Amino acid sequence: MIEKLDEIKSNAIDELSSLQSIKELEDWRVRYLGKKSALTQILRGLASRPLEERKAVGASANELKSLLERSHRQKKEALKEKAYQEMEAAAVGKQIISPTGIPSEEKFGIPTVFLGIPDVTLPGRPIPLGRLHPTTQMVREICDIFVALGFQVVEGPEVEWDYYNFEALNIPPDHPARDMWATLWIDTKSGERPMLLRTHTSPMQIRVMERTTPPVRVVVPGKVYRYEATDATHESMFYQIEGLAVDKNITLADLKGTLYEFARRLFGAERKVRFRCDYFPFVEPGVEMAIDCMVCGGTGCRLCSGTGWIEILGAGMVHPAVLRRVNYDPEIYTGFAFGLGLERMSMLRYGVEDIRLFYSNDLRFLRQF
Ligand code: FA5
């Protein structure tokens, strides 16, 4: 019996090495491991054998079975790999043989060359699906709201001249208000105009007005940069959305109405809104807008620092000096502007407690949006 097992082993291994396709391999498997194979017959017959023989032959037969099964698996992998390589090398227009040894054309009547895949019966290789970053989703959602209110979306440069970021916005050199925006400066040669990474999207107010005659209604989404230590609510790179409307007879009531409608559309109809005085050199009067805290409903909690309100943006009526700078007559035209921090909106909307999560590239976090 042991000799018989040796003979099966040597035949099987010899034959295996010469197999060229998965079809041939399948025939081999049936021949050596199938129900009617000699090996299976030996294993089945063991029960009627004396104990000693059963032990000796049983051990060898099982060992051989494991060896053949292992060799079968390895050969199958090798043949599949070979088939893929051949497929890749095959020029368009040539017959491609599938790993099962049967051209797809024979199986399904579909020209294999057209399919360009080795075997249409194989499960597809999963294609990882991406998704939009939560910031991109929020930019689009907010822009959609303002577009519905009659605003156009424009974008501007992230590397900006001092002139647009500060000077034209009524913040001359050495003005203390420059300290409100910790600035990342770009190295320039002496005598060249000072250049920086924009600290807010407000420079686009000037750029838009320089190129347009009123009426103006734009929103400007984009990245801004500040030389700041990061913490749960501060990033050194974050997104803002600037808004600007200039026309005849625009008043603070238009500013309040527009922003109130925006907050209701983004955060829900039940949101309360609060406006308070604030200071920005390029608006007069200046305001900050807050909404009632959606976590505690205004009673006070950790998110709103116990105040019941969360500040979401700065805004105001465009300063007459800014209008004059772009040759708009402040006696004829008035306007409002606002600038909001986009990640803060996402944090409020989704209850995210740390702004740094947005840009730490952790897919477990990003996949939730
Ligand atoms: C400004 O940047 C003004 N340009 C806004 C403005 C525009 C006022 C037009 C008047 C008219 P401020 O520095 O407060 O203002 O920033 C605006 C918003 O950006 C803040 O309300 C906050 O939501 C967000 N923000 C500010 N600093 C950071 C930071 N480090 N990380 C994340 N978000 C920030």
Side-chain angles (χ1 to χ4, degrees):
M1 199 67 83
I2 296 288
E3 292 88 74
K4 177 74 181 155
L5 289 175
D6 286 344
E7 189 190 325
I8 295 172
K9 182 176 171 181
S10 101
N11 288 346
I13 299 298
D14 271 2
E15 279 179 35
L16 190 68
S17 60
S18 60
L19 300 183
Q20 292 301 325
S21 71
I22 297 247
K23 172 88 175 62
E24 288 173 15
L25 180 64
E26 179 58 11
D27 293 343
W28 178 93
R29 189 192 63 76
V30 171
R31 212 159 43 248
Y32 288 102
L33 288 163
K35 281 185 196 149
K36 293 182 186 156
S37 67
L39 181 58
T40 307
Q41 299 305 322
I42 291 173
L43 282 163
R44 281 202 186 136
L46 281 177
S48 57
R49 295 280 171 181
L51 183 65
E52 278 312 300
E53 190 183 339
R54 208 154 68 205
K55 270 193 189 164
V57 177
S60 302
N62 278 319
E63 208 175 287
L64 178 58
K65 189 175 177 203
S66 308
L67 172 75
L68 295 185
E69 283 171 348
R70 206 167 49 246
S71 308
H72 174 261
R73 274 197 304 275
Q74 286 166 354
K75 184 75 181 181
K76 193 169 181 180
E77 285 310 308
L79 285 173
K80 268 196 206 163
E81 185 54 39
K82 186 166 150 266
Y84 280 125
Q85 281 170 6
E86 280 170 8
M87 180 206 77
E88 275 167 17
V92 175
K94 286 195 184 148
Q95 178 71 39
I96 299 165
I97 303 300
S98 77
T100 56
I102 307 166
S104 299
E105 200 166 350
E106 274 175 34
K107 270 188 176 169
F108 299 103
I110 308 168
T112 319
V113 287
F114 173 72
L115 288 167
I117 46 175
D119 182 348
V120 291
T121 63
L122 289 175
R125 295 179 194 176
I127 301 167
L129 274 186
R131 67 189 68 218
L132 292 177
H133 190 278
T135 297
T136 310
Q137 293 183 32
M138 191 50 96
V139 167
R140 293 190 180 182
E141 194 173 339
I142 294 179
C143 286
D144 282 351
I145 292 175
F146 283 108
V147 166
L149 295 174
F151 287 74
Q152 263 184 299
V153 180
V154 293
E155 288 180 303
E158 291 169 24
V159 177
E160 188 53 282
W161 299 113
D162 174 292
Y163 175 78
Y164 288 106
N165 197 82
F166 289 127
E167 212 165 327
L169 288 168
N170 226 8
I171 315 171
D174 303 323
H175 192 290
R178 288 200 175 207
D179 293 346
M180 289 164 72
W181 295 280
T183 309
L184 288 154
W185 295 93
I186 306 278
D187 279 343
T188 44
K189 294 198 191 93
S190 81
E192 278 182 352
R193 291 194 285 163
M195 196 189 257
L196 45 81
L197 293 182
R198 67 178 176 191
T199 57
H200 50 176
T201 41
S202 299
M204 279 303 287
Q205 291 183 28
I206 307 296
R207 286 184 176 275
V208 168
M209 288 191 286
E210 274 181 349
R211 288 176 180 74
T212 332
T213 48
V216 175
R217 278 173 187 73
V218 290
V219 282
V220 188
K223 282 186 200 142
V224 302
Y225 303 83
R226 293 191 189 176
Y227 183 55
E228 274 185 31
T230 62
D231 62 25
T233 50
H234 291 84
E235 262 291 3
S236 49
M237 186 285 295
F238 59 100
Y239 275 73
Q240 285 191 341
I241 295 192
E242 191 80 8
L244 175 70
V246 184
D247 206 343
K248 289 177 183 158
N249 301 321
I250 289 205
T251 67
L252 193 67
D254 297 307
L255 164 67
K256 289 179 74 175
T258 305
L259 292 180
Y260 185 48
E261 183 56 24
F262 157 71
R264 281 164 48 92
R265 289 194 189 191
L266 190 65
F267 294 112
E270 70 285 359
R271 287 276 69 80
K272 292 194 195 101
V273 170
R274 182 187 74 181
F275 288 93
R276 290 204 304 190
C277 291
D278 202 349
Y279 171 69
F280 299 96
F282 37 94
V283 287
E284 182 58 39
V287 294
E288 60 142 67
M289 179 176 134
I291 56 173
D292 61 329
C293 178
M294 52 250 301
V295 171
C296 62
T299 53
C301 67
R302 206 165 67 88
L303 185 71
C304 60
S305 312
T307 61
W309 294 97
I310 296 172
E311 185 204 320
I312 60 168
L313 56 84
M317 300 303 291
V318 182
H319 198 290
V322 173
L323 292 174
R324 270 196 294 274
R325 170 88 59 173
V326 293
N327 296 321
Y328 284 11
D329 185 346
E331 298 300 324
I332 302 174
Y333 295 110
T334 49
F336 67 77
F338 58 88
L340 57 88
L342 193 105
E343 291 80 3
R344 300 254 178 103
M345 303 287 144
S346 301
M347 290 172 80
L348 291 173
R349 177 81 175 278
Y350 301 115
V352 176
E353 288 184 352
D354 195 320
I355 193 171
R356 290 167 291 194
L357 286 166
F358 288 109
Y359 304 116
S360 53
N361 286 337
D362 187 338
L363 290 179
R364 289 167 305 177
F365 171 73
L366 296 173
R367 282 200 183 108
Q368 298 175 81
F369 298 93

